[in-house]
Amino acid sequence: MFLSFTATLTKAWSFFLILWLTSCLYVSGEYHEHETEVKDFFQRNGSSTHTNNWAVLVCSSRYWFNYRHMSNALGMYRTVKRLGIPDSNIILMLADDSACNSRNKFPASVYANAGRNLDLYGSNIEVDYRGYEVTVENFLRVLTGRLPESVPRSKRLLSDSNSNIFVYMTGHGGNEFLKFQDSEEVSAHDIADAFEQMWQGGRYNEIFFMIDTCQANTMYSKFYSPNILATGSSLEGENSYSYENDHDLGVSVIDSYTHYVLEFMENVNKTSRLTMGDLFTSYNVPKIASHPGIRSDLFPRPLGGGEALHDYGRGSGWRHPGEWVGREQEKSKKGSEALITDFFGGVVGVDIEEDTSDAHHTEASSDSVPKERTKAEKKGVKASPYLAQRTTKTRSWINLKELRAWSSFLIVGLLVGLVWARQS
Amino acid sequence: MNVAPSDDLRDPSSLYFQYDKVRRSIIASYWLVFFLALPLWWNTTSIERLPLPSSNVHAQHGRELRLPVKIALDPAFGSIASSVESELRNVIQQKHQTPPLDVSIFVGNEQGGWYDEDVYAVKPGETGMVLDGRRLGFPKDHLTPSSLAQTLSSLILPYSAKQEHRVAQYSPRFRLAFTLLNEDASAGQTVTGWDILDAIDRHISPITSAVSVLHNFTIESQVQFHAPLAFEPKPLEDGTFGLTPEDLTIFVNSAEWTLSSSSSNDPVLHFVLFVPSLSRRPLVILNDDGTPSTSNAFLIPQWGSIVICNLPPIPNEKWLSNSDLMTPFSAFSHQLSALLGIPKLPSGIKTSPSTSSLSPWQIDALLRHRMHEAVRRTKDTLLSTVQLVQQIPNMPVDAKAQSDVQNALSALDAVWDSEGGKAFNLTDMLGNSARALTSSQRAFFHPGMLALLYFPAEHKYAVYTPLFASAVIPLIATAIREFLAWRRQRREAVNER
């Protein structure tokens, strides 16, 4: 009796397995369709007219052996601060405090290189969310602005529709998720939805998303909101590796991808005219040991980088045809090129005020474009009936799918029960 | 071998707990618990999503705000009233695709009994164009319909796209942070303090009180003695130092300057009076072509204003008196007006000496502009809220968010009502539109509206299957078996009969 019961159970399990696999297929299919629709819709030209810059830097992993993730985030922190984003506009989230870890032989310091040349912790650092405050919920609340009244200014992303935001994440991840602490995960869908809510709420002008984790390029695959440029350290199914160990510390001090990005950033100063394309073409696969990716199909401005960018992802070390979503759109894009300082820097334009009453105003930045146009575009996007149409479609789809799945679940259960009842 | 039935081995069906009735009621009770628990399970796992008035939101989004503007022409201009009106409509139409104003011009004067606070009057004047309250004195000798229409349009609709990017986004509260920065006090000739209270009274308060219907201001000030620049100003041939336009964009050394306290979430407008180090005086702003500019102030859009204070040689320590602060603070007050979106008077128009620095024409234009902005943002925010709730099925909507949306809609309705109504009052309407904006923003950014974490369908199966399959399958199986047994018994009973 018992044996036959287990036998039927195994049988039942194989049924469930099949059921489960089919439902997985449904889920993945739906999002691809949705992505291409959006891709077509947002192929338009625009330009960056931002008046302020923000940065959200997240290190999501705990424990001493993840020292390198903290130094990744702190390295980025040092760079954005050096390039002119004030502390009040940087949200730094560190899931652990390696500087004050009892195993740290150099207390109150965090180094990103084996020689310990540069202390990233330094004397002037503002960690906004630390330790167990770094949760998926808090991260999403910071992005969407849905924080309780009592949260202080320093923990808020007070951006507006003129803000360019740089989002950097690092930690342990996998296919479409990033682990927070040791207990939870943020999925690519969560971040994509948060960005959409930010766009609808007028909380950004442009976003530059960078992520250094295993299978990082899957994390930006679900984005669907406009004006987002994304880059990641490694392909789906590929690890992202650390760069070097420090033998006195006994741990790896930085990840390879971040190390090379930071190395490139050292050549950038506040008034640099280097473009995002220049950053991307500096990626060197044999050195980084993984295949970084770009996603620019949601981003309306050209990336710059000249001829070298056309060959991005081709050549030695690259897999055919490289990892660049949005390569086709690049040729038809117009407008000013995306500068690195658009996302890492401070202000863009300054008006000189004359003392006389009928002043004439000088625009210090050559590439600022009348605001009206961007505004009108944004309005157009929001008011479009297209969005509503698409969403209702997706929703009924999900309901139908769930209903079907559950009913098949019940039917299979009934069938199995029937067979077992017959046998005994 | 046959064993005779004994008392020790009884028929199982005769055991108390194997009675059909008892066994079936045990199985039924399992099912009962299962079904009773279903609503509980459903209730605890579903997300509270109260309905939002989406059709109303969509209807509101289609409406455009058109504010009435009444202009009374003095009977002296009576002959050209209609041509001025059509000309004025043309000019406004050209500036904006959807005219935000409903202009009506009629002929009359105070004696005619129309006197009303919200009516603008145009009267003949002697010398130049002079504003006195809501009255515009217009010289009769330059009078053509188009020149009057141009002047009126530049007064009632002074906004152009070019200036718009400097104006700070509307907020009911602002914090003004005044900072006196010594680049390097140790180099000597330090400015130790300033008569900030007097200067604010004299230059800033007139502006803040004029726009007090719109904003509530908090003012803070500080003096700092070490504020290094992050770059080296360019030494010029004549011994001065120059700031190129490129330098100006990176002038603010945010890494080392603390310019405002972060004690509240209100947006901050910064006003910095920068005293260069002794070794770098005078510090001048250069034009694009490298020649020194006559100005020593510049404005960073939506952020604030910086004035460079080049003092003549001073004793080692100096307190900036009222007269020293005259020039910097008049620059600050100009720039505060620019940041708040207060329009400048068109060139050639003067205010009569009796009135305060800001004329009602300017304030009204600002109020109308802010009202349009508030209404537009409210409509957009409400639409986004409704769309997002539709789009993201995991997003909860609780009673608080729902009531905020409804409040925003009713405040918008109040705006529409007063737009067409007889008792048109700009300040009331502004209050309603500000209320609509605040409510809609509060609904959108309500902390309870955070979409729950996304779980892929495969995760759901992975959780539910091992949990429930092992419990549900025996239940189903026994139910079927009991049902079959019951049917067999019944058939046998029928056959026996």
mmCIF file of all heavy atoms in Angstrom, chain A residues 20 51 141 146 153 156 162 189-190 200 347 349-351 353-354 391 402 405 420, chain B residues 166 249 264 266 294-295 297 299 301-302 335 384 391 444 447 454 458 460-461 477:
data_model
loop_
_atom_site.group_PDB
_atom_site.id
_atom_site.type_symbol
_atom_site.label_atom_id
_atom_site.label_comp_id
_atom_site.label_asym_id
_atom_site.label_seq_id
_atom_site.Cartn_x
_atom_site.Cartn_y
_atom_site.Cartn_z
ATOM 1 N N TRP A 20 4.833 22.671 -14.846
ATOM 2 C CA TRP A 20 5.644 23.802 -14.405
ATOM 3 C C TRP A 20 6.484 24.328 -15.551
ATOM 4 O O TRP A 20 6.566 25.511 -15.812
ATOM 5 C CB TRP A 20 6.509 23.321 -13.245
ATOM 6 C CG TRP A 20 7.474 24.320 -12.753
ATOM 7 C CD1 TRP A 20 7.209 25.550 -12.261
ATOM 8 C CD2 TRP A 20 8.885 24.170 -12.696
ATOM 9 N NE1 TRP A 20 8.375 26.171 -11.893
ATOM 10 C CE2 TRP A 20 9.404 25.341 -12.147
ATOM 11 C CE3 TRP A 20 9.759 23.134 -13.038
ATOM 12 C CZ2 TRP A 20 10.766 25.514 -11.957
ATOM 13 C CZ3 TRP A 20 11.111 23.315 -12.837
ATOM 14 C CH2 TRP A 20 11.609 24.501 -12.305
ATOM 15 N N THR A 51 19.367 69.574 -14.858
ATOM 16 C CA THR A 51 19.951 70.620 -14.029
ATOM 17 C C THR A 51 20.587 70.046 -12.773
ATOM 18 O O THR A 51 21.224 70.780 -12.041
ATOM 19 C CB THR A 51 18.898 71.644 -13.602
ATOM 20 O OG1 THR A 51 17.859 70.953 -12.914
ATOM 21 C CG2 THR A 51 18.317 72.376 -14.779
ATOM 22 N N ARG A 141 11.938 51.650 -2.342
ATOM 23 C CA ARG A 141 11.316 52.864 -1.816
ATOM 24 C C ARG A 141 12.144 54.103 -2.130
ATOM 25 O O ARG A 141 11.595 55.155 -2.447
ATOM 26 C CB ARG A 141 11.108 52.746 -0.302
ATOM 27 C CG ARG A 141 9.919 51.890 0.071
ATOM 28 C CD ARG A 141 9.601 51.991 1.541
ATOM 29 N NE ARG A 141 8.608 50.999 1.934
ATOM 30 C CZ ARG A 141 7.306 51.136 1.758
ATOM 31 N NH1 ARG A 141 6.823 52.217 1.195
ATOM 32 N NH2 ARG A 141 6.475 50.191 2.128
ATOM 33 N N ARG A 146 8.636 56.483 -2.376
ATOM 34 C CA ARG A 146 7.527 56.158 -1.469
ATOM 35 C C ARG A 146 8.060 55.854 -0.085
ATOM 36 O O ARG A 146 8.032 54.724 0.380
ATOM 37 C CB ARG A 146 6.742 54.968 -2.029
ATOM 38 C CG ARG A 146 6.160 55.272 -3.386
ATOM 39 C CD ARG A 146 4.946 54.445 -3.692
ATOM 40 N NE ARG A 146 4.269 55.007 -4.834
ATOM 41 C CZ ARG A 146 4.478 54.624 -6.088
ATOM 42 N NH1 ARG A 146 5.322 53.663 -6.336
ATOM 43 N NH2 ARG A 146 3.836 55.190 -7.073
ATOM 44 N N ARG A 153 16.157 63.808 4.982
ATOM 45 C CA ARG A 153 16.533 64.227 3.643
ATOM 46 C C ARG A 153 17.679 63.409 3.062
ATOM 47 O O ARG A 153 17.686 63.071 1.888
ATOM 48 C CB ARG A 153 16.945 65.702 3.722
ATOM 49 C CG ARG A 153 17.208 66.348 2.407
ATOM 50 C CD ARG A 153 17.719 67.767 2.607
ATOM 51 N NE ARG A 153 17.899 68.389 1.326
ATOM 52 C CZ ARG A 153 16.941 69.032 0.679
ATOM 53 N NH1 ARG A 153 15.770 69.148 1.209
ATOM 54 N NH2 ARG A 153 17.178 69.557 -0.506
ATOM 55 N N ARG A 156 16.858 60.252 1.139
ATOM 56 C CA ARG A 156 15.860 60.343 0.077
ATOM 57 C C ARG A 156 16.501 60.694 -1.253
ATOM 58 O O ARG A 156 17.456 61.455 -1.308
ATOM 59 C CB ARG A 156 14.840 61.436 0.399
ATOM 60 C CG ARG A 156 13.861 61.075 1.448
ATOM 61 C CD ARG A 156 13.076 62.300 1.827
ATOM 62 N NE ARG A 156 12.173 62.011 2.920
ATOM 63 C CZ ARG A 156 10.917 61.638 2.753
ATOM 64 N NH1 ARG A 156 10.412 61.544 1.543
ATOM 65 N NH2 ARG A 156 10.155 61.382 3.784
ATOM 66 N N ASN A 162 14.224 66.955 -14.040
ATOM 67 C CA ASN A 162 15.439 67.485 -14.658
ATOM 68 C C ASN A 162 16.677 66.761 -14.148
ATOM 69 O O ASN A 162 17.785 67.240 -14.318
ATOM 70 C CB ASN A 162 15.589 68.965 -14.335
ATOM 71 C CG ASN A 162 14.471 69.778 -14.927
ATOM 72 O OD1 ASN A 162 14.184 69.649 -16.107
ATOM 73 N ND2 ASN A 162 13.826 70.582 -14.117
ATOM 74 N N HIS A 189 12.586 42.411 -12.915
ATOM 75 C CA HIS A 189 11.252 43.005 -13.067
ATOM 76 C C HIS A 189 11.021 44.110 -12.041
ATOM 77 O O HIS A 189 10.420 45.127 -12.354
ATOM 78 C CB HIS A 189 10.174 41.942 -12.867
ATOM 79 C CG HIS A 189 10.224 40.852 -13.865
ATOM 80 N ND1 HIS A 189 9.545 40.899 -15.042
ATOM 81 C CD2 HIS A 189 10.903 39.694 -13.867
ATOM 82 C CE1 HIS A 189 9.785 39.806 -15.727
ATOM 83 N NE2 HIS A 189 10.610 39.054 -15.039
ATOM 84 N N ASP A 190 11.474 43.867 -10.817
ATOM 85 C CA ASP A 190 11.269 44.869 -9.760
ATOM 86 C C ASP A 190 11.931 46.187 -10.138
ATOM 87 O O ASP A 190 11.346 47.252 -9.981
ATOM 88 C CB ASP A 190 11.863 44.387 -8.437
ATOM 89 C CG ASP A 190 11.091 43.211 -7.868
ATOM 90 O OD1 ASP A 190 9.866 43.207 -8.009
ATOM 91 O OD2 ASP A 190 11.735 42.314 -7.304
ATOM 92 N N GLN A 200 7.002 57.779 -14.613
ATOM 93 C CA GLN A 200 5.639 58.303 -14.538
ATOM 94 C C GLN A 200 5.535 59.415 -13.497
ATOM 95 O O GLN A 200 4.772 60.351 -13.660
ATOM 96 C CB GLN A 200 4.674 57.173 -14.179
ATOM 97 C CG GLN A 200 4.587 56.090 -15.216
ATOM 98 C CD GLN A 200 3.528 56.359 -16.251
ATOM 99 O OE1 GLN A 200 2.663 57.196 -16.041
ATOM 100 N NE2 GLN A 200 3.598 55.688 -17.378
ATOM 101 N N VAL A 347 26.821 70.406 -12.499
ATOM 102 C CA VAL A 347 25.861 71.178 -13.287
ATOM 103 C C VAL A 347 26.227 71.188 -14.769
ATOM 104 O O VAL A 347 27.356 70.941 -15.138
ATOM 105 C CB VAL A 347 25.808 72.636 -12.808
ATOM 106 C CG1 VAL A 347 24.818 72.772 -11.725
ATOM 107 C CG2 VAL A 347 27.160 73.106 -12.425
ATOM 108 N N GLY A 349 24.660 73.868 -17.089
ATOM 109 C CA GLY A 349 24.590 75.205 -17.668
ATOM 110 C C GLY A 349 24.552 76.268 -16.601
ATOM 111 O O GLY A 349 24.090 76.049 -15.494
ATOM 112 N N VAL A 350 25.074 77.431 -16.936
ATOM 113 C CA VAL A 350 25.105 78.542 -15.989
ATOM 114 C C VAL A 350 24.665 79.778 -16.745
ATOM 115 O O VAL A 350 24.995 79.947 -17.915
ATOM 116 C CB VAL A 350 26.537 78.730 -15.457
ATOM 117 C CG1 VAL A 350 26.675 80.046 -14.757
ATOM 118 C CG2 VAL A 350 26.906 77.600 -14.529
ATOM 119 N N ASP A 351 23.872 80.612 -16.112
ATOM 120 C CA ASP A 351 23.492 81.875 -16.738
ATOM 121 C C ASP A 351 24.216 83.006 -16.037
ATOM 122 O O ASP A 351 24.113 83.149 -14.824
ATOM 123 C CB ASP A 351 21.981 82.112 -16.599
ATOM 124 C CG ASP A 351 21.192 81.134 -17.436
ATOM 125 O OD1 ASP A 351 21.835 80.343 -18.149
ATOM 126 O OD2 ASP A 351 19.965 81.160 -17.370
ATOM 127 N N GLU A 353 24.516 86.680 -14.986
ATOM 128 C CA GLU A 353 23.553 87.755 -14.790
ATOM 129 C C GLU A 353 24.261 89.089 -14.969
ATOM 130 O O GLU A 353 25.269 89.352 -14.326
ATOM 131 C CB GLU A 353 22.982 87.653 -13.382
ATOM 132 C CG GLU A 353 21.856 88.584 -13.101
ATOM 133 C CD GLU A 353 20.529 88.004 -13.520
ATOM 134 O OE1 GLU A 353 20.485 86.818 -13.883
ATOM 135 O OE2 GLU A 353 19.556 88.738 -13.480
ATOM 136 N N GLU A 354 23.709 89.935 -15.843
ATOM 137 C CA GLU A 354 24.267 91.273 -15.976
ATOM 138 C C GLU A 354 23.656 92.165 -14.911
ATOM 139 O O GLU A 354 22.553 91.938 -14.451
ATOM 140 C CB GLU A 354 23.958 91.836 -17.371
ATOM 141 C CG GLU A 354 24.575 91.044 -18.510
ATOM 142 C CD GLU A 354 26.079 91.198 -18.586
ATOM 143 O OE1 GLU A 354 26.597 92.225 -18.110
ATOM 144 O OE2 GLU A 354 26.747 90.296 -19.102
ATOM 145 N N THR A 391 -1.193 47.840 -21.528
ATOM 146 C CA THR A 391 -1.258 47.305 -20.180
ATOM 147 C C THR A 391 -2.496 46.445 -19.986
ATOM 148 O O THR A 391 -2.410 45.390 -19.387
ATOM 149 C CB THR A 391 -1.264 48.439 -19.166
ATOM 150 O OG1 THR A 391 -2.249 49.355 -19.589
ATOM 151 C CG2 THR A 391 0.062 49.112 -19.093
ATOM 152 N N GLU A 402 -3.071 32.382 -15.416
ATOM 153 C CA GLU A 402 -3.097 31.817 -14.063
ATOM 154 C C GLU A 402 -4.265 30.865 -13.906
ATOM 155 O O GLU A 402 -4.138 29.786 -13.341
ATOM 156 C CB GLU A 402 -3.197 32.940 -13.035
ATOM 157 C CG GLU A 402 -1.880 33.644 -12.833
ATOM 158 C CD GLU A 402 -1.829 34.404 -11.522
ATOM 159 O OE1 GLU A 402 -2.884 34.521 -10.876
ATOM 160 O OE2 GLU A 402 -0.735 34.870 -11.166
ATOM 161 N N ALA A 405 -3.478 27.675 -15.566
ATOM 162 C CA ALA A 405 -2.487 26.894 -14.836
ATOM 163 C C ALA A 405 -3.129 26.192 -13.644
ATOM 164 O O ALA A 405 -2.929 24.997 -13.418
ATOM 165 C CB ALA A 405 -1.360 27.795 -14.375
ATOM 166 N N TRP A 420 -5.098 6.300 -8.456
ATOM 167 C CA TRP A 420 -4.665 5.668 -7.214
ATOM 168 C C TRP A 420 -5.842 4.939 -6.560
ATOM 169 O O TRP A 420 -5.727 3.829 -6.078
ATOM 170 C CB TRP A 420 -4.114 6.758 -6.293
ATOM 171 C CG TRP A 420 -3.533 6.190 -5.046
ATOM 172 C CD1 TRP A 420 -2.678 5.149 -4.930
ATOM 173 C CD2 TRP A 420 -3.807 6.642 -3.729
ATOM 174 N NE1 TRP A 420 -2.375 4.910 -3.640
ATOM 175 C CE2 TRP A 420 -3.051 5.818 -2.858
ATOM 176 C CE3 TRP A 420 -4.597 7.662 -3.188
ATOM 177 C CZ2 TRP A 420 -3.079 5.981 -1.479
ATOM 178 C CZ3 TRP A 420 -4.600 7.818 -1.831
ATOM 179 C CH2 TRP A 420 -3.855 6.984 -0.970
ATOM 180 N N ARG B 166 15.332 77.801 -15.864
ATOM 181 C CA ARG B 166 15.968 78.293 -14.645
ATOM 182 C C ARG B 166 15.025 78.233 -13.457
ATOM 183 O O ARG B 166 15.455 78.211 -12.316
ATOM 184 C CB ARG B 166 16.373 79.758 -14.806
ATOM 185 C CG ARG B 166 16.972 80.103 -16.121
ATOM 186 C CD ARG B 166 16.683 81.558 -16.421
ATOM 187 N NE ARG B 166 17.892 82.347 -16.253
ATOM 188 C CZ ARG B 166 17.900 83.646 -16.014
ATOM 189 N NH1 ARG B 166 16.777 84.290 -15.896
ATOM 190 N NH2 ARG B 166 19.028 84.289 -15.915
ATOM 191 N N THR B 249 30.695 76.342 -14.620
ATOM 192 C CA THR B 249 29.834 75.176 -14.461
ATOM 193 C C THR B 249 30.327 74.279 -13.334
ATOM 194 O O THR B 249 29.561 73.487 -12.803
ATOM 195 C CB THR B 249 29.755 74.359 -15.755
ATOM 196 O OG1 THR B 249 31.053 73.831 -16.029
ATOM 197 C CG2 THR B 249 29.276 75.188 -16.917
ATOM 198 N N SER B 264 15.415 69.682 6.640
ATOM 199 C CA SER B 264 14.062 69.423 6.168
ATOM 200 C C SER B 264 14.116 68.944 4.727
ATOM 201 O O SER B 264 15.155 68.985 4.084
ATOM 202 C CB SER B 264 13.216 70.684 6.259
ATOM 203 O OG SER B 264 13.624 71.581 5.256
ATOM 204 N N ASP B 266 12.411 70.299 2.304
ATOM 205 C CA ASP B 266 12.037 71.355 1.362
ATOM 206 C C ASP B 266 13.163 71.604 0.380
ATOM 207 O O ASP B 266 14.335 71.491 0.736
ATOM 208 C CB ASP B 266 11.779 72.666 2.111
ATOM 209 C CG ASP B 266 10.810 72.484 3.246
ATOM 210 O OD1 ASP B 266 9.986 71.560 3.151
ATOM 211 O OD2 ASP B 266 10.892 73.241 4.223
ATOM 212 N N THR B 294 31.250 92.314 -17.506
ATOM 213 C CA THR B 294 30.969 93.378 -16.549
ATOM 214 C C THR B 294 30.257 92.836 -15.319
ATOM 215 O O THR B 294 30.161 93.513 -14.304
ATOM 216 C CB THR B 294 30.070 94.451 -17.190
ATOM 217 O OG1 THR B 294 28.913 93.792 -17.696
ATOM 218 C CG2 THR B 294 30.789 95.183 -18.288
ATOM 219 N N SER B 295 29.753 91.619 -15.430
ATOM 220 C CA SER B 295 28.973 91.059 -14.337
ATOM 221 C C SER B 295 29.878 90.270 -13.390
ATOM 222 O O SER B 295 30.910 89.745 -13.786
ATOM 223 C CB SER B 295 27.906 90.145 -14.911
ATOM 224 O OG SER B 295 27.421 89.302 -13.923
ATOM 225 N N ALA B 297 28.137 88.136 -11.187
ATOM 226 C CA ALA B 297 27.153 87.216 -10.611
ATOM 227 C C ALA B 297 26.713 86.226 -11.665
ATOM 228 O O ALA B 297 26.672 86.554 -12.843
ATOM 229 C CB ALA B 297 25.945 88.005 -10.118
ATOM 230 N N LEU B 299 24.015 82.586 -12.308
ATOM 231 C CA LEU B 299 22.897 81.825 -11.781
ATOM 232 C C LEU B 299 23.009 80.388 -12.266
ATOM 233 O O LEU B 299 23.274 80.148 -13.436
ATOM 234 C CB LEU B 299 21.599 82.463 -12.289
ATOM 235 C CG LEU B 299 20.264 81.857 -11.898
ATOM 236 C CD1 LEU B 299 19.279 82.987 -11.675
ATOM 237 C CD2 LEU B 299 19.733 80.957 -12.975
ATOM 238 N N PRO B 301 20.819 77.234 -12.919
ATOM 239 C CA PRO B 301 19.387 76.998 -13.030
ATOM 240 C C PRO B 301 18.869 76.065 -11.937
ATOM 241 O O PRO B 301 19.449 75.021 -11.675
ATOM 242 C CB PRO B 301 19.242 76.352 -14.397
ATOM 243 C CG PRO B 301 20.395 76.854 -15.169
ATOM 244 C CD PRO B 301 21.498 77.012 -14.192
ATOM 245 N N GLN B 302 17.803 76.476 -11.314
ATOM 246 C CA GLN B 302 17.081 75.725 -10.285
ATOM 247 C C GLN B 302 17.896 75.460 -9.031
ATOM 248 O O GLN B 302 17.433 74.802 -8.115
ATOM 249 C CB GLN B 302 16.567 74.383 -10.831
ATOM 250 C CG GLN B 302 15.603 74.582 -11.961
ATOM 251 C CD GLN B 302 15.021 73.296 -12.465
ATOM 252 O OE1 GLN B 302 15.616 72.252 -12.276
ATOM 253 N NE2 GLN B 302 13.894 73.370 -13.113
ATOM 254 N N GLN B 335 18.071 87.456 -8.854
ATOM 255 C CA GLN B 335 18.157 86.045 -9.169
ATOM 256 C C GLN B 335 17.118 85.238 -8.415
ATOM 257 O O GLN B 335 16.622 84.235 -8.929
ATOM 258 C CB GLN B 335 19.573 85.568 -8.897
ATOM 259 C CG GLN B 335 20.503 86.305 -9.856
ATOM 260 C CD GLN B 335 21.914 85.858 -9.798
ATOM 261 O OE1 GLN B 335 22.368 85.374 -8.780
ATOM 262 N NE2 GLN B 335 22.617 86.029 -10.893
ATOM 263 N N SER B 384 -0.894 59.165 -14.288
ATOM 264 C CA SER B 384 0.171 58.187 -14.045
ATOM 265 C C SER B 384 -0.233 57.212 -12.953
ATOM 266 O O SER B 384 0.020 56.014 -13.065
ATOM 267 C CB SER B 384 1.454 58.887 -13.611
ATOM 268 O OG SER B 384 1.844 59.816 -14.560
ATOM 269 N N GLN B 391 -1.247 48.904 -14.686
ATOM 270 C CA GLN B 391 -0.126 48.245 -15.344
ATOM 271 C C GLN B 391 0.552 47.237 -14.426
ATOM 272 O O GLN B 391 1.007 46.201 -14.876
ATOM 273 C CB GLN B 391 0.867 49.354 -15.719
ATOM 274 C CG GLN B 391 1.887 48.997 -16.712
ATOM 275 C CD GLN B 391 2.692 50.253 -17.046
ATOM 276 O OE1 GLN B 391 2.242 51.382 -16.862
ATOM 277 N NE2 GLN B 391 3.889 50.058 -17.527
ATOM 278 N N PHE B 444 0.356 59.604 -5.246
ATOM 279 C CA PHE B 444 1.340 58.881 -6.068
ATOM 280 C C PHE B 444 2.475 58.353 -5.220
ATOM 281 O O PHE B 444 2.935 57.236 -5.404
ATOM 282 C CB PHE B 444 1.888 59.810 -7.158
ATOM 283 C CG PHE B 444 2.721 59.099 -8.175
ATOM 284 C CD1 PHE B 444 2.131 58.558 -9.302
ATOM 285 C CD2 PHE B 444 4.080 58.954 -8.002
ATOM 286 C CE1 PHE B 444 2.884 57.892 -10.235
ATOM 287 C CE2 PHE B 444 4.846 58.290 -8.938
ATOM 288 C CZ PHE B 444 4.246 57.755 -10.060
ATOM 289 N N PRO B 447 3.421 55.821 0.745
ATOM 290 C CA PRO B 447 4.299 54.685 1.061
ATOM 291 C C PRO B 447 3.611 53.329 0.892
ATOM 292 O O PRO B 447 4.274 52.335 0.614
ATOM 293 C CB PRO B 447 4.672 54.928 2.523
ATOM 294 C CG PRO B 447 4.487 56.370 2.745
ATOM 295 C CD PRO B 447 3.379 56.793 1.838
ATOM 296 N N TYR B 454 8.114 41.208 -7.100
ATOM 297 C CA TYR B 454 7.653 40.389 -8.209
ATOM 298 C C TYR B 454 8.064 38.948 -7.990
ATOM 299 O O TYR B 454 9.233 38.655 -7.746
ATOM 300 C CB TYR B 454 8.269 40.931 -9.496
ATOM 301 C CG TYR B 454 8.026 40.047 -10.679
ATOM 302 C CD1 TYR B 454 6.837 40.146 -11.392
ATOM 303 C CD2 TYR B 454 8.966 39.107 -11.068
ATOM 304 C CE1 TYR B 454 6.606 39.330 -12.458
ATOM 305 C CE2 TYR B 454 8.732 38.294 -12.149
ATOM 306 C CZ TYR B 454 7.550 38.406 -12.838
ATOM 307 O OH TYR B 454 7.322 37.594 -13.895
ATOM 308 N N GLU B 458 6.858 30.585 -11.867
ATOM 309 C CA GLU B 458 7.521 29.344 -11.483
ATOM 310 C C GLU B 458 7.861 29.309 -9.993
ATOM 311 O O GLU B 458 7.839 28.264 -9.378
ATOM 312 C CB GLU B 458 8.756 29.084 -12.351
ATOM 313 C CG GLU B 458 9.779 30.194 -12.420
ATOM 314 C CD GLU B 458 9.564 31.084 -13.636
ATOM 315 O OE1 GLU B 458 8.401 31.447 -13.888
ATOM 316 O OE2 GLU B 458 10.537 31.404 -14.324
ATOM 317 N N LYS B 460 5.956 30.621 -7.705
ATOM 318 C CA LYS B 460 4.707 30.310 -7.021
ATOM 319 C C LYS B 460 4.484 28.801 -7.015
ATOM 320 O O LYS B 460 4.131 28.218 -5.997
ATOM 321 C CB LYS B 460 3.547 31.004 -7.715
ATOM 322 C CG LYS B 460 3.513 32.488 -7.453
ATOM 323 C CD LYS B 460 2.299 33.105 -8.119
ATOM 324 C CE LYS B 460 2.454 34.612 -8.177
ATOM 325 N NZ LYS B 460 1.573 35.214 -9.162
ATOM 326 N N TYR B 461 4.690 28.165 -8.161
ATOM 327 C CA TYR B 461 4.489 26.721 -8.221
ATOM 328 C C TYR B 461 5.489 26.022 -7.321
ATOM 329 O O TYR B 461 5.172 25.054 -6.637
ATOM 330 C CB TYR B 461 4.624 26.198 -9.652
ATOM 331 C CG TYR B 461 3.562 26.766 -10.560
ATOM 332 C CD1 TYR B 461 3.880 27.399 -11.750
ATOM 333 C CD2 TYR B 461 2.216 26.700 -10.181
ATOM 334 C CE1 TYR B 461 2.905 27.941 -12.546
ATOM 335 C CE2 TYR B 461 1.239 27.246 -10.982
ATOM 336 C CZ TYR B 461 1.582 27.862 -12.165
ATOM 337 O OH TYR B 461 0.614 28.412 -12.951
ATOM 338 N N ALA B 477 -7.971 11.542 -3.075
ATOM 339 C CA ALA B 477 -8.042 10.104 -3.316
ATOM 340 C C ALA B 477 -9.044 9.447 -2.370
ATOM 341 O O ALA B 477 -9.883 8.651 -2.805
ATOM 342 C CB ALA B 477 -6.655 9.497 -3.136
#
